[in-house]
Amino acid sequence: MKSYLIDSMFFGAVVSLAAYEAGLFLKKKFRLAILNPLLIASLCVMAALILLNVEYTHYYESAKYISYLLTPATVCLAIPLYQQLELLKKNLKAIAGGIAAGVLASLLSVFLLAKLFSLDHAQYVTLLPKSITTAIGIGVSAELGGIETITVAVIIVTGILGNMTAEFICKLFRIEEPVAKGLAIGTASHAIGTTKAMELGETEGAMSSLAIAVAGLLTVLGASVFANLI
Amino acid sequence: MKLLYQFSIILFVSFLGEILYLVIPLPIPASVYGLILMLAALCTGIIKLSQVKEAASFLIEIMPVMFIPAAAGLLDSWPSLKPIWIPVILITILTTIIVIAVTGQVTQQMIQKEKKKKNELGKMGGKE
């Protein structure tokens, strides 16, 4: 039975999709922010792999076809952005200032906390790109001498955390302007957060998409400077 | 057929992004180049919204699913994460809150300042 699962071209994709459906169902039924479909799906997949005694690499062999769509999907984030272009032009200064401040806050807070927990250089640079999209983050981490697998895990956890809590944190800090909300979510929690921003509204979604690209690029520059601090 | 046509345009832009990634020696992924190319193509009218809209909406809607394989990768990275997971999770939670608060507040205050300025200018113009 096990070899069927390992050699299958579809097992990984089927498990992932079924787990996501389960996540959607739970979210619909209980309407709690903690029941995030991506979080539930990921936990279900991990549980399934452990129970069925299937190694992650075998799962990934067939699940990777889902991830294949990630690049085209990110390209598509240009569309909501294009539809809100007037808004972008109108608030250009505030948008640039907000994202730059957010990226700086991210790098600075990782630096200070890494100092506080006395992390070494490799551990520190592993965390530096934690708020940006996985594809850029891996590159930054590798370039600076970080541990790539941990960077990926932290980026994903950050994304899910942002997705689950962004609405609440915005309320807590009285961030009500849709442009500000979208930028905050995208800068803090990249594409995974953006899926939440899309739910909040068109403006939020577009601004969050914009923040993925801009914050990603600014972090590439900023992280190379901050990397020398520890 | 419409969806297939739209999908092929999206894949073509992704492909161009991939080429830029291979040619330009920066740690910027194909997807970000592609996003910028798509935006430029829409702004200049090379690609019309109607040529990509439905397929794009579908891809964006199912985007969370695409992160499941990477998220389940935690299973494999756990051994190297285990010794530092407490500081890592604390840093993750704290910085996420800080970045949302700072980005949101700075943007909001700059927008409100700008609005005020415009209102004052408008009032002054009215008096004169």
Side-chain angles (χ1 to χ4, degrees):
Chain A
M1 148 102 168
K2 203 185 151 194
S3 76
Y4 289 125
L5 300 184
I6 288 173
D7 297 331
S8 169
M9 291 284 284
F10 302 103
F11 168 70
V14 169
V15 169
S16 310
L17 292 178
Y20 191 69
E21 286 298 327
L24 284 180
F25 174 77
L26 284 178
K27 186 191 169 195
K28 215 172 171 184
K29 182 133 195 197
F30 296 104
R31 299 189 175 281
L32 289 169
I34 189 122
L35 294 174
N36 176 281
L38 174 58
L39 176 68
I40 303 219
S42 311
L43 293 175
C44 286
V45 168
M46 287 192 262
L49 295 187
I50 292 170
L51 285 175
L52 295 168
N53 199 16
V54 174
E55 271 175 46
Y56 175 73
T57 43
H58 292 304
Y59 156 78
Y60 190 74
E61 265 312 298
S62 55
K64 68 183 175 195
Y65 299 104
I66 300 176
S67 309
Y68 166 83
L69 291 171
L70 205 48
T71 297
T74 310
V75 170
C76 291
L77 291 175
I79 284 130
L81 190 54
Y82 170 71
Q83 289 172 315
Q84 303 288 328
L85 207 60
E86 282 308 309
L87 199 65
L88 168 64
K89 282 183 190 158
K90 212 177 100 193
N91 297 300
L92 198 59
K93 246 198 232 158
I95 289 169
I99 300 178
V103 169
L104 198 64
S106 172
L107 295 170
L108 199 62
S109 58
V110 172
F111 165 65
L112 292 174
L113 290 164
K115 258 274 192 273
L116 182 70
F117 292 113
S118 46
L119 299 185
D120 62 28
H121 175 78
Q123 293 166 342
Y124 164 58
V125 295
T126 294
L127 299 181
L128 268 184
K130 60 166 278 297
S131 287
I132 60 174
T133 193
T134 325
I136 308 184
I138 295 175
V140 170
S141 173
E143 191 116 329
L144 302 174
I147 310 150
E148 282 173 60
T149 49
I150 298 187
T151 300
V152 175
V154 173
I155 287 175
I156 300 270
V157 172
T158 301
I160 295 177
L161 193 69
N163 186 311
M164 282 164 52
T165 60
E167 222 180 337
F168 174 73
I169 299 174
C170 283
K171 215 173 258 167
L172 197 66
F173 289 94
R174 296 205 178 77
I175 300 162
E176 287 141 5
E177 187 77 44
V179 175
K181 260 194 212 168
L183 290 182
I185 297 173
T187 306
S189 50
H190 52 92
I192 302 179
T194 300
T195 59
K196 180 71 193 186
M198 295 272 177
E199 282 174 31
L200 296 181
E202 272 177 29
T203 305
E204 285 90 336
M207 290 301 127
S208 192
S209 310
L210 176 68
I212 297 175
V214 179
L217 298 177
L218 286 180
T219 302
V220 172
L221 299 173
S224 59
V225 177
F226 269 83
N228 300 316
L229 299 180
I230 291 183
Chain B
M1 286 313 277
K2 189 165 138 205
L3 277 177
L4 191 64
Y5 173 71
Q6 296 188 341
F7 198 63
S8 56
I9 290 180
I10 293 165
L11 284 189
F12 181 67
V13 176
S14 311
F15 171 59
L16 290 180
E18 204 175 29
I19 292 177
L20 286 183
Y21 168 73
L22 293 173
V23 173
I24 304 171
L26 286 174
I28 296 165
S31 56
V32 170
Y33 286 125
L35 196 161
I36 295 165
L37 283 177
M38 182 64 98
L39 187 63
L42 286 167
C43 288
T44 52
I46 297 171
I47 295 175
K48 288 183 189 63
L49 202 55
S50 59
Q51 287 175 304
V52 287
K53 206 175 171 202
E54 284 77 16
S57 306
F58 174 68
L59 281 175
I60 291 174
E61 199 188 333
I62 63 163
M63 209 169 167
V65 179
M66 303 170 197
F67 289 102
I68 297 172
L74 191 59
L75 214 54
D76 252 19
S77 49
W78 178 244
S80 48
L81 186 59
K82 204 176 168 189
I84 51 165
W85 79 273
I86 295 176
V88 165
I89 206 76
L90 285 174
I91 291 174
T92 304
I93 293 171
L94 287 173
T95 53
T96 304
I97 298 171
I98 292 169
V99 176
I100 292 178
V102 169
T103 314
Q105 274 298 339
V106 169
T107 313
Q108 187 162 283
Q109 278 173 22
M110 283 179 82
I111 290 175
Q112 281 166 358
K113 225 186 209 171
E114 201 92 330
K115 269 187 192 159
K116 241 187 195 168
K117 226 161 85 190
K118 264 182 202 156
N119 279 342
E120 275 166 19
L121 278 176
K123 272 182 202 162
M124 272 158 64
K127 275 177 193 169
E128 280 167 11

